Every structure is written in structure tokens, then in C-alpha cells.
Amino acid sequence: MKGLNNKVNLYRFGKMVCGAFLKSMYRIEVKGRENIPQTGGILLCSNHINNFDPPLVGVAAPRDVHFMAKAELFDMPILKTLLPNINAFPVKRGMSDKQALRNGLNLLKEGKVLGLFPEGTRSKTGELGQGLAGAGFFALKSEAAVVPCAIKGQYKRGQKVTVIFGKPIDFSEMREQKASARDATNLIMLNIEKLLKESS
């Protein structure tokens, strides 16, 4: 129990520090927090435009978020100890890592929030890219609420960066029809794209 409390405290401390840093650098605006259910598993899917996206989404979300992080980071001396304590777990590139998929599903079944960037890597142009099938896999194989998220703006000092949480996507029909993970991911990306366009 002590270890769990230390982990929670470290996450909250990290969230506070990241929030203070981001707000000192950018004008942060958050919309749609009310769209995130207060309980139950949540698959939170966002576009990816900057390395600061994970801490920004973590700060903006009203609940603790668990993120996948590149497996290589867990080989670094400090990060391999720090990352697990701030709710990160390793994934090999492409999100086809079976252990990472199991870890993600377990988190969702435990009623936690799993944050994903379906594109798998940052967009170099800022435009929304194609999502990987891993996001659709989690959406179909769990009963979690699937919440789209859009990050809009330029990470330039003093500029506004907006995080928009959309309403949960209804996946009941796709789950019943046993749709493909690719089709499920496409639906998620369409909803992210819609948020980006609505905020223009």
C-alpha cells in the first residue's frame, strides 16, 4: 500500500510541476472536461503534434492517465525508474507489442484511463495522420468509453494551445458486429478530425 501511495503522490506531484511549466510557457485552454466520465475505463485518443502532448493531456484531464511510452525510454537509467511511477508503460514501435496490448486492456478493465496517440508518432506537418490499428483494438476488445481528444495550436512561447475532449464515441454497434480494428481506428480518427475542424 505504501508503494501505491508513493506512486500516486509522484504522479500528482509530476502533474503539478508539468502544469506549472506548461502554463508558464503557453496559454493553455481546456475544453470539454465534462465529456470525460468520472468513473469506469476510458480510452482517451488524441492527435500528436509535439513531445509535450502527453504531459499536456495528463494535466488537462480530470482523471489520472496511463500512457504508453517508447520501450527505448525504459532502458535509460533515470527514466526506467521514473516512468512506471508516473503511470507509463513500455510499448514497441507500431503498437503491435502483445504485452503492451495486454497491459492496456488490463488498465481499461480495472476502470482506469488509457491515453493513446493513435498516429503512433508526432505529425511533422501538424496535419492529422493515419491512425494505427492498436487504438481500434482497445476500443473493440474492452467496454471502455472511447473519448476523442484534439490538441490544437503551436507550441511557441506565449501562444495558445488548446486541448479539446469530445463526447464518448458510441462503439456498441461496431462491437456487436465484430468490426475490424482498422475500421474502429478510422472512426476514432474521424472524431478527432471533427474536433480539430470545429475548433478552427
Coordinates of all heavy atoms in Angstrom, one line a residue, residues 31-32 35-36 146-150 164-168 195:
K31 N -11.1 22.5 -23.1 CA -12.5 22.4 -23.4 C -13.0 21.0 -23.2 O -12.3 20.0 -23.6 CB -12.8 22.9 -24.8 CG -12.4 24.4 -25.0 CD -12.8 24.8 -26.5 CE -12.4 26.2 -26.8 NZ -12.7 26.6 -28.2
G32 N -14.2 20.8 -22.7 CA -14.9 19.5 -22.7 C -14.5 18.6 -21.6 O -14.7 17.4 -21.8
N35 N -16.9 15.9 -20.7 CA -17.1 14.8 -21.5 C -16.4 13.5 -21.1 O -16.6 12.5 -21.6 CB -16.7 15.1 -23.0 CG -17.6 16.2 -23.6 OD1 -18.9 16.1 -23.4 ND2 -17.1 17.1 -24.4
I36 N -15.5 13.7 -20.1 CA -14.8 12.5 -19.6 C -15.6 11.9 -18.4 O -15.7 12.6 -17.4 CB -13.4 12.9 -19.2 CG1 -12.6 13.4 -20.4 CG2 -12.7 11.7 -18.5 CD1 -11.2 13.8 -20.0
V146 N -14.8 5.5 -25.1 CA -13.8 6.0 -26.1 C -13.9 7.5 -26.3 O -14.9 7.9 -26.9 CB -13.8 5.2 -27.4 CG1 -12.7 5.7 -28.3 CG2 -13.7 3.7 -27.2
V147 N -13.0 8.2 -25.7 CA -13.1 9.7 -25.8 C -12.1 10.3 -26.7 O -10.9 10.1 -26.5 CB -12.9 10.3 -24.3 CG1 -12.9 11.8 -24.4 CG2 -14.0 9.8 -23.4
P148 N -12.5 11.0 -27.8 CA -11.6 11.6 -28.7 C -11.0 12.9 -28.1 O -11.7 13.6 -27.3 CB -12.4 11.9 -29.9 CG -13.8 12.1 -29.4 CD -13.9 11.2 -28.2
C149 N -9.8 13.2 -28.4 CA -9.2 14.4 -27.9 C -8.4 15.1 -29.0 O -7.8 14.4 -29.8 CB -8.2 14.1 -26.7 SG -7.2 15.4 -26.1
A150 N -8.5 16.4 -29.1 CA -7.7 17.2 -30.1 C -6.9 18.2 -29.4 O -7.3 18.9 -28.5 CB -8.7 17.8 -31.1
I164 N -9.0 19.8 -26.5 CA -10.5 19.6 -26.5 C -10.8 18.1 -26.4 O -10.4 17.3 -27.1 CB -11.1 20.1 -27.9 CG1 -10.6 21.5 -28.2 CG2 -12.6 20.0 -27.9 CD1 -10.0 21.6 -29.6
F165 N -11.6 17.8 -25.3 CA -12.1 16.5 -25.1 C -13.5 16.4 -25.7 O -14.4 17.2 -25.3 CB -12.2 16.2 -23.6 CG -10.8 16.2 -22.9 CD1 -10.5 17.2 -22.0 CD2 -9.9 15.2 -23.2 CE1 -9.3 17.2 -21.4 CE2 -8.6 15.3 -22.6 CZ -8.3 16.3 -21.7
G166 N -13.7 15.4 -26.6 CA -15.0 15.3 -27.2 C -15.9 14.3 -26.4 O -15.5 13.7 -25.5
K167 N -17.1 14.2 -26.9 CA -18.1 13.3 -26.2 C -17.7 11.8 -26.6 O -17.1 11.6 -27.7 CB -19.5 13.6 -26.7 CG -20.0 14.9 -26.2 CD -21.5 15.1 -26.6 CE -22.0 16.4 -26.1 NZ -23.4 16.7 -26.5
P168 N -17.9 10.9 -25.7 CA -17.6 9.5 -26.0 C -18.2 9.0 -27.3 O -19.3 9.3 -27.6 CB -18.1 8.7 -24.7 CG -18.1 9.7 -23.6 CD -18.5 11.0 -24.3
L195 N -13.2 17.3 -34.2 CA -12.9 18.2 -33.1 C -11.9 19.3 -33.6 O -12.0 20.5 -33.2 CB -12.2 17.5 -31.9 CG -13.2 16.6 -31.1 CD1 -12.4 15.9 -30.0 CD2 -14.3 17.4 -30.4

